Amino acid sequence: MQKKPFVTLSQVQEMARIYPTPFHLYDEKGIRENARRLYQAFAWNKGFKEYFAVKATPTPRLLQILKEEGCGVDCSSLTELMLSEACGFNGQEIMFSSNDTPAEDFQLAEKLHGTINLDDITHIEFLEKAIGHIPERICCRYNPGGMFTLGESEEGFQVMDNPGDAKYGMTRAQMTDAFRILQQKGAKEFGIHAFLASNTISNEYYPALARILFQTAVELKAETGAHITFINLSGGVGIPYRPEQPENNIAAIGEGVRKAYEKILVPAGMDDVALYTELGRYMLGPYGCLVTKAIHEKHTYKEYIGVDACAANLMRPAIYGAYHHITVLGKEDAPCDHLYDVTGSLCENCDKFAVDRMLPQINTGDYLVIHDTGAHGFSMGYNYNGKLRSAEILLREDGSAEMIRRAETPEDYFATLDITGIFNR
């Protein structure tokens, strides 16, 4: 299998005349089509809504596109709430899912009339002190503990993740206690949320999670009498970073969740429960790439290609050892017969986008596309080594390019310092 970029060499050459590399590039057409596929997959649920995880790509122009496609936002900090408000999101278009939350974050979430998702039972009292009351509409995050396994094969169960080691969410007993306490304090409308695994490449993850949450909802209603109006399946539906990995089939995923809904919730008289998702990587990951240019060749114990991007632009390979596919534009059909490390310029040996990667022969001046950076790409950037964050460019549906975030300048880097004071000492 071959990963194909959504941009051509001629398009990048034209962009680079105006916007110097490196830059993050996003595909408007792909983003819109993907959002529509998601909504079609869950069209059977009357109240379905996607709350895009702002932390994945906190870029206003992209949030605007998702808003136009019917999405809300999932925020986890004060500034994400502020950004979402500036983009026109408010009320039930906002989910606020945070942990170790400062009081001012809760205060803004309440001011915007967003739905607050409590991470811990102790946050009930903290929230009440922060905003002066408990909202009538509230959500609680559930952590079932233990190991989360999925499916059975000749090798046994596939271990997806270890919720028991995660800092997020309440135990099963705490969920019951939390619902009762919240009811006593005036809550009338409840939601349940859980996140058990990250970047799953399996059509069975969401249905398996749904079964856990649906059964929990039925039990909580029986135990507490709470009116549960929504269940948030959170994120975790992943993307294939490697060419050989299969893509998730969102239609099959939606159908699997529907079957669980009809088997568990409908017989319990809970057929009015709305379903929410808060996907980040799935929504934007494949529809963004990092465009960079080869500027150096090094021939020592290995063959190195130095590019003008670095881990400050995309840190996942450096900190996680994550794989991101690389296409050399204009050489898509050339044989991959050269073994390279593709490196950035940080003073860190881990600043490598690829290690021992078979690629076509790369010459200085070639443009490289580093795939699948549309989520957790630009957003995880930083300024180590004095590196400046790159621009973000949108490839419009009509083929034109729009700068949606300018590149940082040295003035931006020094903006929080009193340079005059320093040099006058």
Side-chain angles (χ1 to χ4, degrees):
M1 295 180 64
Q2 182 181 11
K3 270 185 175 286
K4 296 182 179 180
F6 57 79
V7 66
T8 65
L9 175 60
S10 61
Q11 286 176 309
V12 163
Q13 288 172 330
E14 183 64 28
M15 291 178 200
R17 291 189 183 99
I18 306 170
Y19 314 113
T21 55
F23 54 77
H24 282 270
L25 181 66
Y26 304 95
D27 176 19
E28 180 182 8
K29 182 174 185 291
I31 292 169
R32 290 189 184 277
E33 290 177 348
N34 192 49
R36 292 167 190 172
R37 282 193 295 270
L38 173 67
Y39 270 89
Q40 182 59 40
F42 286 89
W44 55 268
N45 183 256
K46 184 178 179 180
F48 174 78
K49 194 170 187 68
E50 156 64 11
Y51 289 85
F52 174 72
V54 175
K55 60 181 172 287
T57 320
T59 304
R61 186 67 177 87
L62 301 180
L63 297 181
Q64 179 189 26
I65 290 171
L66 292 172
K67 191 175 194 298
E68 291 169 359
E69 296 298 333
C71 300
V73 284
D74 178 79
C75 301
S76 58
S77 69
L78 181 74
T79 48
E80 287 182 1
L81 286 167
M82 294 170 68
L83 178 63
S84 297
E85 180 186 19
C87 291
F89 294 94
N90 58 71
Q92 292 189 20
E93 294 178 319
I94 298 173
M95 286 286 298
F96 183 60
S97 302
S98 62
N99 65 95
D100 291 333
T101 310
E104 62 180 345
D105 295 32
F106 277 139
Q107 290 162 0
L108 182 54
E110 171 61 10
K111 179 183 176 182
L112 298 177
H113 305 292
T115 301
I116 293 174
N117 181 22
L118 293 175
D119 181 66
D120 187 62
I121 192 169
T122 64
H123 291 183
I124 297 173
E125 181 179 358
F126 187 89
L127 173 65
E128 188 175 30
K129 288 181 179 178
I131 67 174
H133 66 283
I134 291 297
E136 291 190 358
R137 175 182 165 91
I138 198 80
C139 185
C140 291
R141 185 168 185 168
Y142 175 45
N143 184 333
M147 300 293 292
F148 177 63
T149 58
L150 185 65
E152 190 172 9
S153 65
E154 293 179 359
E155 292 79 23
F157 288 100
Q158 180 185 6
V159 177
M160 300 296 287
D161 219 324
N162 186 359
D165 278 349
K167 67 176 182 176
Y168 310 108
M170 307 183 200
T171 68
R172 179 62 185 82
Q174 287 174 337
M175 289 288 287
T176 300
D177 291 342
F179 271 42
R180 287 174 175 157
I181 294 169
L182 289 165
Q183 282 179 304
Q184 293 169 4
K185 293 180 178 292
K188 294 182 171 60
E189 185 179 343
F190 289 81
I192 303 173
H193 170 285
F195 178 86
L196 301 187
S198 178
N199 197 46
T200 61
I201 305 296
S202 169
N203 294 335
E204 295 304 315
Y205 169 62
Y206 250 14
L209 173 62
R211 288 190 288 272
I212 293 171
L213 290 183
F214 295 168
Q215 185 59 45
T216 302
V218 170
E219 293 170 1
L220 286 169
K221 179 184 177 183
E223 293 166 2
T224 68
H227 184 203
I228 299 170
T229 61
F230 65 92
I231 294 174
N232 191 330
L233 299 174
S234 69
V237 176
I239 62 173
Y241 284 98
R242 295 177 178 271
E244 67 271 16
Q245 290 177 314
E247 291 185 9
N248 279 319
N249 183 333
I250 199 64
I253 290 170
E255 177 63 12
V257 174
R258 183 192 65 79
K259 290 179 179 178
Y261 190 99
E262 294 187 352
K263 181 178 181 180
I264 299 171
L265 290 182
V266 172
M270 301 176 69
D271 57 350
D272 60 344
V273 172
L275 297 185
Y276 300 157
T277 56
E278 51 176 58
L279 300 168
R281 198 187 314 258
Y282 177 81
M283 296 301 292
L284 290 191
Y287 311 105
C289 63
L290 178 59
V291 179
T292 183
K293 184 165 67 174
I295 58 174
H296 288 288
E297 300 175 34
K298 185 172 183 176
H299 316 286
T300 54
Y301 303 106
K302 302 180 76 172
E303 293 295 303
Y304 295 97
I305 295 295
V307 297
D308 58 6
C310 65
N313 304 112
L314 177 64
M315 70 188 304
R316 296 186 72 254
I319 65 169
Y320 301 133
Y323 180 95
H324 280 264
H325 198 64
I326 295 176
T327 295
V328 184
L329 289 178
K331 300 180 179 180
E332 290 87 348
D333 298 321
C336 295
D337 54 3
H338 284 63
L339 186 68
Y340 291 117
D341 281 13
V342 179
T343 66
S345 59
L346 288 188
C347 297
E348 298 289 342
N349 195 46
C350 64
D351 184 18
K352 298 176 180 179
F353 294 112
V355 176
D356 293 333
R357 184 79 59 88
M358 296 301 297
L359 292 165
Q361 181 176 356
I362 300 174
N363 302 110
T364 301
D366 281 347
Y367 288 102
L368 281 62
V369 162
I370 303 177
H371 291 252
D372 301 316
T373 70
H376 309 288
F378 179 92
S379 66
M380 296 178 73
Y382 55 103
N383 288 126
Y384 179 64
N385 259 183
K387 295 297 182 179
L388 304 176
R389 292 179 179 87
S390 67
E392 291 182 291
I393 310 298
L394 179 66
L395 179 62
R396 301 284 304 276
E397 289 186 286
D398 63 7
S400 63
E402 174 189 350
M403 183 173 68
I404 56 177
R405 190 192 301 263
R406 67 166 175 80
E408 285 184 338
T409 66
E411 288 77 13
D412 295 320
Y413 181 77
F414 294 120
T416 57
L417 299 173
D418 182 357
I419 297 295
T420 302
I422 291 174
F423 289 124
N424 284 341
R425 289 174 186 169

